[in-house]
Amino acid sequence: MVHILDELRWRGLLAQSTDEEALRDALSAGPVTVYCGFDPTAPSLHHGHLVQLVLLRHLQLAGHRVLGLVGGATGMIGDPRMSGERVLNTKETVGEWVERLRAQISRFLDFEGENPARLVNNLDWTAQLSAIDFLRDIGKHYRLGTMLAKDTVARRLASEEGISFTEFSYQILQGLDFLELNRRYGCTLQTGGNDQWGNLLSGVELIRKAEGRTAHALTTPLITKADGTKFGKTEGGAVWLAPDMMTPYAFYQFWINTDDADVIGYLRTFTFRSREQIAELEEAVADRPFTREAQRALAHDVTTLVHGQAATDAVVAASQALFGRGELAELDAGTLEAAVDELPKAVVGTDAPAVVDLLAEAGLVAGRGAGRRAISEGGVSINNVRVTDPDAVLSVDQLLHGRWAVLRRGKRTLAVAERPNG
RNA sequence: GGCAGGUUACCCAAGCGGCCAAAGGGAGCUGACUGUAAAUCAGUUGCGCGAGCUACGGGGGUUCGAAUCCCUCACCUGCCA
């Protein structure tokens, strides 16, 4: 039996940890209670959080007790980041986002059976805490020298913008969370991204000073791309897990487009496939890269994990229909309808709408000017036939089955112009 | 509270009265080559078909003319209290 730490390392989920031998023994000795926090800084989690959720799932599957923490309190303060001071969101907004995140995290964990996961909110133990108690009971354990030495704090201090006391204090709040979960549930392990290392240690040290007990921290590496660009960037920004912020179709397409150089690493990290299965896919990439088997497996598994089997079946079918070799005109109405259902839409309201208007309405281009530019660059096609005239209009006979025309910008960005039925 | 410096397009950054819809770099987008990949090369990137319109932190002024000069407000940074 492979030790969970070795498995995580092979999966590329292990960057660093506190005393690895001690952690290894603790994980072998029996169930360890572990937590990972998620701050509500947006209405949805994204690709970065996905790594943490996969890690928690591995730990739960290995028999450990998992706590998912939503940062109702920390989300109101803001973790300092290099790009500068955050703009605070209203308490109402943070509250709404907390609820959305709770639902998202729940999908990844099992709340049934003999080892159920649990969701907690750090607002529960910080909202009532008075400033005096905070400064006396918690603040006394913190040394300014250590706090100032934290990488982000130090760099922000040295930057032009500086750092507010609010964000500077963030590390204490996160330390307090770990202490509280240690007291309440015997939690002895906190996980997070490697950029969270300092914040995780804050809790480990606080538990040692306040309780005299040992706790552990474990971080995942930053996910990188072979070409050096940032992982998880799309036209719309991040890769969101919420279907109302990124459609399952777009989500699937993101993973399908993974570089050859990255796909095997991502299969290890983001899927639960066995070593044998991944080895086979690695051969496939080397021998017949044009079949994109590894990319398909990756996109299928991750989409299923996040959006469920039914949504995945729909987007896989749609992708095959739209990117298949066959003629779009030969697709039957049912298949085409299911496929275009996944795409952004523009409504055909008149008999001869301008193509640029349809492009803009569907969100394929930023505006009419950008649409004209795209057409003159040769970057727009309707039903896979290139459009050459910026003033082109859509004619009724271009509508497949009398209802749909597939708009394409560039090689792989699709939308549909649809004429309402009846 | 005082003094000094700063705020330019997605990001960094030049510009210091007309030649500025604004240099340069990054990033994005499109094409060629391909495999819904990468690399490379080329084009392109405020809105508008166009006349033109709106823009250089907000507001007000000087001027024939302001991103550029003056006043004021907001925010950021540094030094002093």
Side-chain angles (χ1 to χ4, degrees), chain A residues 45-122:
Chain A
L45 298 175
H46 56 66
H47 55 279
H49 303 111
L50 190 57
V51 183
Q52 304 311 317
L53 290 164
V54 166
L55 172 64
L56 284 186
R57 192 173 160 86
H58 274 293
L59 286 164
Q60 187 177 30
L61 289 172
H64 300 286
R65 296 198 190 92
V66 173
L67 301 170
L69 179 146
V70 183
T74 35
M76 286 200 274
I77 300 306
D79 191 15
R81 51 181 177 181
M82 266 324 290
S83 51
E85 193 80 13
R86 289 173 193 266
V87 176
L88 293 178
N89 296 304
T90 66
K91 292 185 176 181
E92 290 70 34
T93 301
V94 174
E96 280 169 33
W97 292 352
V98 162
E99 291 312 311
R100 287 180 58 108
L101 262 53
R102 290 177 74 94
Q104 289 189 323
I105 296 166
S106 300
R107 292 195 60 101
F108 291 81
L109 305 175
D110 186 0
F111 293 86
E112 307 294 324
E114 51 192 61
N115 180 29
R118 181 193 288 270
L119 283 183
V120 296
N121 183 345
N122 57 16

Side-chain angles (χ1 to χ4, degrees), chain A residues 266-405:
Chain A
Y266 291 177
L267 277 164
R268 289 185 194 182
T269 300
F270 292 105
T271 76
F272 289 78
R273 297 220 172 197
S274 68
R275 298 187 183 207
E276 292 73 28
Q277 286 176 307
I278 292 175
E280 279 174 28
L281 289 167
E282 194 165 7
E283 271 181 49
V285 175
D287 296 346
R288 43 185 190 285
F290 47 88
T291 61
R292 309 179 65 76
E293 286 170 54
Q295 279 88 344
R296 282 178 219 283
L298 174 69
H300 172 275
D301 283 18
V302 181
T303 307
T304 305
L305 187 64
V306 174
H307 295 294
Q309 188 65 52
T312 304
D313 290 345
V315 300
V316 169
S319 298
Q320 280 172 352
L322 296 167
F323 285 101
R325 285 279 165 274
E327 277 293 314
L328 280 172
E330 287 167 12
L331 292 173
D332 65 83
T335 304
L336 189 59
E337 178 165 22
V340 300
D341 203 39
E342 304 294 333
L343 302 176
K345 283 187 179 48
V347 176
V348 178
T350 62
D351 282 343
V355 173
V356 284
D357 286 331
L358 294 171
L359 293 173
E361 187 187 336
L364 237 39
V365 294
R368 295 162 53 86
R372 300 181 69 88
R373 194 185 313 127
I375 291 173
S376 52
E377 287 173 338
V380 174
S381 67
I382 292 176
N383 299 333
N384 292 338
V385 177
R386 183 171 286 183
V387 179
T388 50
D389 177 9
D391 293 315
V393 296
L394 184 72
S395 63
V396 173
D397 58 292
Q398 284 177 290
L399 293 169
L400 304 171
H401 297 282
R403 290 196 59 196
W404 304 286

Side-chain angles (χ1 to χ4, degrees), chain A residues 5-49:
Chain A
L5 280 189
D6 296 322
E7 176 68 11
L8 294 178
R9 179 163 284 133
W10 180 76
R11 296 245 170 220
L13 283 167
L14 188 53
Q16 57 180 332
S17 74
T18 49
D19 190 344
E20 188 176 328
E21 284 315 305
L23 177 58
R24 182 173 288 269
D25 291 345
L27 287 165
S28 302
V32 165
T33 302
V34 54
Y35 104 87
C36 180
F38 301 88
D39 274 1
T41 52
S44 170
L45 298 175
H46 56 66
H47 55 279
H49 303 111

